[in-house]
Amino acid sequence: MVINCAGPFLDTALPLARAAVEAGAHYLDVTAEQPVVQALYNELDAPARSAGVAVVPAMAFFGGLADLLVTAALGGGSQADEVEIAIGLDRWWPTAGTRATGARNTATRLVIRDGTLTALDDPAPTGTWPYPPPLGVQPVVELPFSEVVTIGHHLKVGELRSYLNTAPLDDLHDARTPAPPAADEEGRSAQQFVVDVVVRRGTETRRIVATGRDIYAVTAPIVVEGAVRLIEGRHRHPGAGAPAEMFDAAGVLSALARNGRSIAVRSDPCLAGE
């Protein structure tokens, strides 16, 4: 098995994944880059199926977590009229890899409109989002990551909008912002995150929220949970696919929540008519 954590994934993902498939090994990575996920789906699905292995990009905070949450909110359904994903960070201490990826990835970001992947408006839409505690109401900008591609690969969605609050972008764009400082014995930073997902289908609205600490540290248990399930044969089929396409979304989220130091997940009851 290959677990690729070495970005920028625009440079590393396809050659490593291709080598893994040729060697008969499963492949996972933690990419947030949309073009990477598209390339792996398009170029390696058939070879991976023939080899009997799985290629699962974006098994991480960006990409995978939102895909798992949206799929769990649908409760076994595969269609939604509208999906909104609001990622909220109380701050952002970027790693060197994040900075290198930002410089390397200049591709146009994609969203889903009328059921089709399409370019994000320029300038990107802005607004506010009522995050659950500890963030509260925050200004946001539409800033899609790889979750748009993972979700669109296996779910039929009419409209998908993915937001990030703007405050952590100031940290990201400031060259003086340091790398994540360890704040506990496990090396996690004190950064807090919220991933707030709202799914609408007809007159039905469902909301599911994940909270936790340190977007980089939480990626480790997410990708390891995927690796364990691949080793144990608890994936749905060979080929290239999204995290929630390959694995039971509710099961993965429950496993992460049981960890106690990964994420907390809560679902609101059906909010009909909202």
Side-chain angles (χ1 to χ4, degrees), residues 9-139:
F9 295 94
L10 285 163
D11 300 319
T12 66
L14 193 55
L16 282 174
R18 183 176 285 118
V21 170
E22 291 173 354
H26 297 303
Y27 171 90
L28 302 105
D29 69 32
V30 296
T31 184
E33 296 118 293
Q34 293 180 337
V36 171
V37 180
Q38 288 182 300
L40 292 174
Y41 289 165
N42 292 337
E43 298 194 30
L44 291 183
D45 181 51
R49 288 178 184 271
S50 296
V53 298
V55 172
V56 190
M59 190 71 186
F61 175 81
F62 287 114
L65 182 54
D67 179 43
L68 294 165
L69 291 167
V70 169
T71 304
L74 285 171
S78 60
Q79 182 273 334
D81 297 321
E82 183 180 12
V83 171
E84 291 185 291
I85 300 163
I87 297 173
L89 313 177
D90 69 340
R91 68 198 78 187
W92 196 339
W93 291 299
T95 63
T98 293
R99 292 195 182 280
T101 296
R104 177 73 175 83
N105 182 19
T106 59
T108 299
R109 293 181 185 265
L110 301 176
V111 293
I112 297 177
R113 300 287 189 267
D114 296 322
T116 302
L117 282 172
T118 188
L120 176 67
D121 290 343
D122 185 13
T126 59
T128 59
W129 187 269
Y131 290 97
L135 294 182
V137 177
Q138 297 260 337

Side-chain angles (χ1 to χ4, degrees), residues 116-190:
T116 302
L117 282 172
T118 188
L120 176 67
D121 290 343
D122 185 13
T126 59
T128 59
W129 187 269
Y131 290 97
L135 294 182
V137 177
Q138 297 260 337
V140 297
V141 62
E142 193 165 358
L143 187 61
F145 292 92
S146 51
E147 71 282 342
V148 172
V149 181
T150 59
I151 291 167
H153 191 254
H154 69 108
L155 299 176
K156 185 178 180 181
V157 176
E159 306 282 326
L160 192 156
R161 294 175 173 82
S162 189
Y163 306 103
L164 180 68
N165 59 326
T166 57
L169 292 175
D170 294 335
D171 297 329
L172 180 64
H173 296 149
D174 187 345
R176 299 167 298 177
T177 304
D184 65 16
E185 67 280 1
E186 296 183 359
R188 297 184 303 171
S189 76

